[in-house]
């Protein structure tokens, strides 16, 4: 996940002390193009949101944005998350450039920091609250992503767990809060909790091997679900509620599962 764990980064960690370091490869690799696609999806999500909000205001409509616009924005953020999973796998198989980790961090700030924060603020505005409280909650999301990425960059590679909720999952959690459309104060509290989880010491397993393919499958299903919901197909709203509840439940319960598993292993040892 973030940042891209390239083959060069692994080789650098295993290089004997005193060995001469080769100059980093500064040309874009295949994995870097996937990372740039991640950033582009985040930008397009913000652009689609601004266009939908402008059209909504020009038409004099009240209430939430149209489903098609919401589905487009969320779908783009899910594609960004899928590309974020893929770029790490491609970098490990084909090798990455010396810019890979830096590009990954910058892309993640756009797609999983600014885009979901802006999405939440726009939702609050459409709900009739243009005060500072939703802006503060959105700002907390953005700052949590920046701090988490900076902290992750300083950690040694190769660990089996993320410290703190990974940014893509944090972004998806903020999205689910918006889709559930709770009362404003409940939504702000949920987003602040998500922001805290991203910078907390809670541990989340890294999606490697089959887990990575499972995450990609869930994201693909999410994109299809958003398309069905946006087109107003039957049971779409019920599926959105179910999916949102599962995402939030996963985010909250997984750290406790990891902790219980470690304690069980220690007791057996």
């Amino acid at each position: 996940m973030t940042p891209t764990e390239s083959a060069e980064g692994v080789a650098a960690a295993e290089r004997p002390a005193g060995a001469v370091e080769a100059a980093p490869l500064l040309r874009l690799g295949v994995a870097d193009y996937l990372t740039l696609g991640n950033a582009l999806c985040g930008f397009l999500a913000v652009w689609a949101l601004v266009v939908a909000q402008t059209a909504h205001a020009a038409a004099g409509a009240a209430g939430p944005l149209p489903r098609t616009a919401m589905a487009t924005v969320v779908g783009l953020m899910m594609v960004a998350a899928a590309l974020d999973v893929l770029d790490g796998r491609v970098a490990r198989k084909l090798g990455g450039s010396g810019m890979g980790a830096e590009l990954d961090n910058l892309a993640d700030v756009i797609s999983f920091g600014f885009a979901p924060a802006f999405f939440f603020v726009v939702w609050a505005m459409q709900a009739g609250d243009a005060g500072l409280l939703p802006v503060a909650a959105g700002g907390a999301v953005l700052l949590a992503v920046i701090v988490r990425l900076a902290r992750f960059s300083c950690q040694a590679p190769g660990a089996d767990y993320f410290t703190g909720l990974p940014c893509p999952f944090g972004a998806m959690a903020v999205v689910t809060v918006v889709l559930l459309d709770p009362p404003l104060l409940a939504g702000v509290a949920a987003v602040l909790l998500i922001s805290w989880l991203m910078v907390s010491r809670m541990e989340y397993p890294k999606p490697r091997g089959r887990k990575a393919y499972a995450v990609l499958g869930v994201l693909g299903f999410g994109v299809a679900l958003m398309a069905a919901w946006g087109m107003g197909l039957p049971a779409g709203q019920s599926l959105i509620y179910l999916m949102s509840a599962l995402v939030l439940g996963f985010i909250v319960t997984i750290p406790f599962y990891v902790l219980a598993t470690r304690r069980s292993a220690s007791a057996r040892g």
Side-chain angles (χ1 to χ4, degrees):
M1 277 237 180
T2 56
T4 301
E5 297 176 359
S6 67
E8 289 189 357
V10 175
E14 297 175 349
R15 187 180 293 117
V20 178
E21 289 191 16
L25 182 63
L26 298 182
R27 289 185 298 179
L28 294 175
V30 176
D32 298 323
Y33 286 107
L34 294 175
T35 304
L36 292 175
N38 166 9
L40 183 60
C41 286
F43 165 75
L44 291 175
V46 174
W47 169 77
L49 196 55
V50 171
V51 170
Q53 186 186 27
T54 303
H56 200 61
L65 296 176
R67 279 189 179 185
T68 51
M70 299 275 282
T72 300
V73 172
V74 177
L76 284 167
M77 282 194 269
M78 287 183 170
V79 173
L83 292 173
D84 187 58
V85 175
L86 283 172
D87 65 3
R89 296 192 63 80
V90 170
R92 283 189 289 273
K93 287 183 178 295
L94 303 180
S97 73
M99 300 183 292
E102 286 72 19
L103 286 174
D104 204 63
N105 279 347
L106 294 170
D108 287 355
V109 169
I110 297 170
S111 297
F112 311 128
F114 182 73
F118 188 63
F119 189 45
F120 179 77
V121 172
V122 169
W123 165 77
M125 293 175 62
Q126 296 302 131
D129 192 310
L132 291 179
L133 196 58
V135 175
V141 171
L142 177 61
L143 294 179
V145 168
I146 293 172
V147 170
R148 193 199 178 286
L149 290 171
R151 185 177 69 186
F152 187 75
S153 297
C154 298
Q155 293 176 335
D160 293 328
Y161 294 90
F162 290 112
T163 301
L165 178 65
C167 301
F169 290 112
M172 293 303 105
V174 173
V175 164
T176 60
V177 170
V178 173
L179 293 177
L180 289 172
D181 195 24
L184 180 67
L185 290 180
V188 167
V191 167
L192 290 175
L193 174 61
I194 293 164
S195 302
W196 174 79
L197 285 172
M198 283 194 280
V199 295
S200 71
R201 291 292 175 179
M202 296 286 191
E203 292 187 330
Y204 291 82
K206 290 185 177 181
R208 290 174 173 169
R210 293 181 178 178
K211 292 180 182 178
Y213 291 114
V215 170
L216 289 172
V218 169
L219 289 170
F221 174 75
V223 172
L225 179 59
M226 293 310 304
W229 179 70
M231 292 185 293
L233 296 184
Q237 190 67 39
S238 298
L239 288 173
I240 287 292
Y241 287 142
L242 177 61
M243 186 80 171
S244 299
L246 290 175
V247 169
L248 294 177
F250 167 83
I251 287 169
V252 172
T253 58
I254 282 296
F256 297 101
Y257 169 77
V258 170
L259 183 61
T261 302
R262 286 190 171 183
R263 287 181 176 175
S264 177
S266 299
R268 288 196 303 268

